[in-house]
Amino acid sequence: MVALTGLAGLGIAFNLGLADRSVAATAALFDDVIDTIRYAERAGIDSVWIGQHHFDVTPGPIPSPLVLLAAVARETSRIALGTGIVTLPLEDPIRLAEDAGVLDVLSGGRVHLGVGTGGANLPGFAAFGLDSDRRHALYDERIARLDTALRGEPLAAVGSPRIQPHVPGLSRRVWEGVTSDERARTAARRDHGIQLGAFFDPAGSGQHPKSAAYVEELRRVHPASEPRVGAFRFLYVGDSRDDVAARLRPTLAARLGFLGERAAQSGDPSLAGVTPREYLERVALFGSPDDVVDDARRDPVLRDHATHLVANSSYHDTFDAAHARSTIDALVTTIAPALGWSPAAPALV
């Protein structure tokens, strides 16, 4: 049986959708998100993670999560502020390191920088003048440059410029969204954490081999380092499994073909042709609070390797603050305590 007392933290993730892309609606979304994160901090949640989405072909207007998190930093005092993820091939790694450093100073050392190759932002590559087929090569070039900058090392042969502000601990708070066993091993060799739990990646057949490869390689290459494995889980709470499945069926039915294709692209054909209920059973924690607890206890990544559990319940076209708060309530009052977790001290905000 998995118990969250062995984990470093309980978090929530926001992939923020917005159907109305007007300035007024966008401003209201940002206010709702900031208020929800304040609510999560008061409830004892340990971390919040915001995904990056470029352009109007993706769910929501969050191309700059660090900017949004800067506003959050001024309204909170304890909760860790993470990106889940920033598409590194579309970023200048030095500028990203500078922005992350400024935010880390503003927030009192609370930044966790999650980066990835950008599978959720594939339509954006052409707009940046880049080939999405080269995203892995671009990522490898830029993660090396990002590491150099965050470690405070010279960035040029002449003049030896280094970034400022340089926050020595920030380089230990980089997380990589990994898409293969080998990329998990590469993240371990860099002494980074990893994020697992994409919407097309089942915990058993998809994620567990990656987390095992990461832990094995980290122990071999960096035996003094503690593993950092973030298990991002789609979590849907209702009266029962049937209730949740019925509620989500219309949304999932329209997306299952795409989800199966993305899984196959990552080498896992197990989602091809599944029903909405079968998809939930393979990828999500869902049902009554007791059902969710049972799912978590059976989850192989949570059982064997996870250091952080991060819940994501987003499925609406537009972010629903009331739904997010109800998920937070279920997490901190029923689900996580049943797994051995206890909340952090309330924040003074």
Side-chain angles (χ1 to χ4, degrees), residues 95-220:
R95 287 288 302 113
L96 180 60
E98 291 177 329
D99 286 348
V102 169
L103 177 56
D104 205 50
V105 172
L106 286 172
S107 66
R110 291 187 279 149
V111 172
H112 289 255
L113 185 59
V115 295
T117 57
N121 282 293
L122 291 180
F125 278 76
F128 276 91
L130 299 170
D131 181 357
S132 62
D133 289 340
R134 293 197 65 247
R135 65 187 183 277
H136 293 293
L138 290 167
Y139 179 88
D140 292 340
E141 295 169 4
R142 295 180 185 187
I143 192 72
R145 192 70 164 156
L146 179 68
D147 269 347
T148 297
L150 290 176
R151 288 194 298 262
E153 297 175 1
L155 296 167
V158 178
S160 301
R162 295 171 171 83
I163 65 163
Q164 63 171 349
H166 172 234
V167 183
L170 185 53
S171 63
R172 289 284 303 142
R173 285 178 267 128
V174 175
W175 302 70
E176 299 189 49
V178 295
T179 55
S180 68
D181 296 3
E182 182 50 41
R183 289 203 163 268
R185 291 183 183 277
T186 301
R189 290 192 287 271
R190 295 187 184 111
D191 206 9
H192 291 167
I194 61 170
Q195 294 181 359
L196 298 168
F199 51 80
F200 53 82
D201 204 11
S205 60
Q207 298 174 40
H208 192 264
K210 300 182 186 75
S211 61
Y214 166 81
V215 171
E216 178 184 60
E217 189 72 359
L218 187 75
R219 288 172 175 164
R220 185 184 71 84

Side-chain angles (χ1 to χ4, degrees), residues 135-347:
R135 65 187 183 277
H136 293 293
L138 290 167
Y139 179 88
D140 292 340
E141 295 169 4
R142 295 180 185 187
I143 192 72
R145 192 70 164 156
L146 179 68
D147 269 347
T148 297
L150 290 176
R151 288 194 298 262
E153 297 175 1
L155 296 167
V158 178
S160 301
R162 295 171 171 83
I163 65 163
Q164 63 171 349
H166 172 234
V167 183
L170 185 53
S171 63
R172 289 284 303 142
R173 285 178 267 128
V174 175
W175 302 70
E176 299 189 49
V178 295
T179 55
S180 68
D181 296 3
E182 182 50 41
R183 289 203 163 268
R185 291 183 183 277
T186 301
R189 290 192 287 271
R190 295 187 184 111
D191 206 9
H192 291 167
I194 61 170
Q195 294 181 359
L196 298 168
F199 51 80
F200 53 82
D201 204 11
S205 60
Q207 298 174 40
H208 192 264
K210 300 182 186 75
S211 61
Y214 166 81
V215 171
E216 178 184 60
E217 189 72 359
L218 187 75
R219 288 172 175 164
R220 185 184 71 84
V221 179
H222 299 287
S225 294
E226 291 295 327
R228 289 178 291 135
V229 179
F232 283 59
R233 292 292 177 265
F234 289 90
L235 187 150
Y236 305 110
V237 183
D239 294 333
S240 66
R241 293 194 193 277
D242 289 343
D243 165 57
V244 173
R247 177 156 41 93
L248 294 182
R249 187 177 297 116
T251 300
L252 289 176
R255 299 178 183 177
L256 283 177
F258 168 72
L259 297 174
E261 291 175 4
R262 286 294 288 115
Q265 290 172 6
S266 296
D268 190 337
S270 68
L271 295 183
V274 299
T275 66
R277 177 64 175 260
E278 290 169 337
Y279 171 80
L280 289 171
E281 290 171 348
R282 297 184 190 190
V283 175
L285 312 179
F286 76 105
S288 69
D290 287 343
D291 291 328
V292 171
V293 171
D294 289 342
D295 284 345
R297 288 172 173 164
R298 290 192 295 266
D299 187 302
V301 177
L302 290 174
R303 179 192 67 216
D304 295 338
H305 305 127
T307 59
H308 295 68
L309 171 62
V310 182
N312 186 341
S313 64
S314 300
Y315 70 93
H316 300 91
D317 289 335
T318 294
F319 174 70
D320 185 329
H323 172 75
R325 289 188 179 209
S326 69
T327 300
I328 291 166
D329 289 343
L331 269 173
V332 302
T333 63
T334 306
I335 295 168
L339 295 166
W341 175 85
S342 57

Side-chain angles (χ1 to χ4, degrees), residues 17-62:
L18 185 63
D20 177 358
R21 303 301 177 97
S22 68
V23 171
T26 301
L29 170 72
F30 293 164
D31 286 342
D32 281 347
V33 171
I34 293 169
D35 286 345
T36 302
I37 296 171
R38 291 185 63 186
Y39 183 85
E41 179 172 73
R42 291 194 298 271
I45 294 286
D46 300 306
S47 61
V48 62
W49 304 78
I50 292 180
Q52 180 185 57
H53 292 279
H54 287 288
F55 308 121
D56 57 0
V57 293
T58 56
I62 313 293

Side-chain angles (χ1 to χ4, degrees), residues 36-94:
T36 302
I37 296 171
R38 291 185 63 186
Y39 183 85
E41 179 172 73
R42 291 194 298 271
I45 294 286
D46 300 306
S47 61
V48 62
W49 304 78
I50 292 180
Q52 180 185 57
H53 292 279
H54 287 288
F55 308 121
D56 57 0
V57 293
T58 56
I62 313 293
S64 305
L66 292 177
V67 176
L68 180 56
L69 289 171
V72 173
R74 306 308 277 179
E75 298 290 330
T76 56
S77 63
R78 178 192 54 79
I79 197 166
L81 309 174
T83 57
I85 61 172
V86 168
T87 299
L88 186 55
L90 304 182
E91 301 284 336
D92 181 310
I94 296 175

